Structure formats: structure tokens, C-alpha cells
Amino acid sequence: MTKPRPCSIADALGVVGEKYSLLVLREVFFGVRRFDAIARNTGAPRDILASRLRRLVEAGVLEKVPYSERPARFEYCPTEAGHDLRPVLIMLMSWGDRHLADVPPTVFEHSCGADLDPAVVCRCCGEEVDSSAITARFQVPGWGVEGAA
């Protein structure tokens, strides 16, 4: 048996790669933080939602914050790692709007007043990045374009 390519995409999918995990994050970014509301808005079965929330908390993406002591009730708030996923969801939504939706169900407005049209830009030079402008550099010894050497 061969080892799979070391990959941060695979590692990230291990945390957020399930449908309801991403939908939980969508709701949290909209400001929906309580279990019942997240369940209603995602359509997730309660047992699956509880499992996804537990996994996101264990992975450090969300944190449980108490909002009631009697009975004990919690809301789910994004951590720094969680906030770092917002651009990922915005790009995924943009792709879905472009390729799957007749009309975008939700539109984000930028602070300049325009509807947001997200793009990946180089942090160094500020240029927009497209596939022809990037090259992979493999940093794990023994791995290259074709896989393991």
C-alpha cells in the first residue's frame, strides 16, 4: 500500500469536509449561533449536527460559549481558525452562484457599496491570481508532481 500525498487540503477536509460542517459555518458567519436555529437553517438531523459541532469545537474552529446556566445552554462562536475559513466559504459560494444557481440566494455587499465579487490575490504584489500564474513547489521530501519519488 502506498501512502497518499501529504496535503493540507486533505487535512482541512478532515475537519470541514462534510456538508453539515460547512453549513454550520455558514450559519455561524450569518450570526446564527444556537443549536436549534442551526438545526432549523441547515436541515441537519440533530444527532449529526451534534457530532459536527463537537468535531468543529475539538478542531478549534468553534468554541462553546455558555449563554444560560439553568438549563445549561451554549452557543457556538468562531475562533481565529474559524474566522480564517470565512473567505473559503465565500469563494465556495461564489463558485456555486456562478455554476449552479439561476439567481444567487445570498449576495454580500462590500464596505465600498458594491456587491462582493471575490478574487484570490497575491499578498505580496496584489495581483489577481489565476491558474496560469501559479506553480506548485513541493516541500515534503520525496514528493513531486507525479507523486512519491
Side-chain angles (χ1 to χ4, degrees):
M1 180 176 164
T2 61
K3 286 185 172 182
R5 179 187 299 275
C7 176
S8 294
I9 295 170
D11 295 341
L13 288 174
V15 175
V16 298
E18 298 143 337
K19 172 185 174 180
Y20 290 118
S21 295
L22 292 171
L23 296 180
V24 163
L25 292 171
R26 175 197 69 193
E27 292 303 312
V28 167
F29 293 139
F30 283 155
V32 178
R33 306 280 168 86
R34 297 185 179 175
F35 187 93
D36 288 339
I38 294 170
R40 180 185 63 243
N41 293 350
T42 62
R46 297 178 74 78
D47 60 330
I48 291 175
L49 178 58
S51 172
R52 299 304 180 266
L53 285 166
R54 190 169 34 257
R55 176 70 181 116
L56 291 168
V57 169
E58 289 169 357
V61 173
L62 297 177
E63 64 179 333
K64 283 175 71 169
V65 177
Y67 70 86
S68 173
E69 289 183 18
R70 290 189 163 186
R73 301 261 189 230
F74 299 88
E75 60 184 11
Y76 296 88
C77 299
T79 62
E80 182 179 346
H83 282 292
D84 285 349
L85 284 166
R86 190 169 200 173
V88 175
L89 265 66
I90 290 171
M91 291 301 281
L92 187 60
M93 183 185 82
S94 177
W95 182 89
D97 289 347
R98 215 174 8 265
H99 298 287
L100 304 173
D102 294 329
V103 175
T106 305
V107 176
F108 288 101
E109 185 177 290
H110 188 260
S111 60
C112 72
D115 288 351
L116 181 65
D117 183 15
V120 176
V121 298
C122 175
R123 186 176 301 208
C124 183
C125 71
E127 285 188 26
E128 189 169 338
V129 176
D130 66 27
S131 295
S132 67
I134 58 176
T135 304
R137 186 176 67 239
F138 301 97
Q139 302 200 125
V140 175
W143 286 88
V145 162
E146 298 297 323

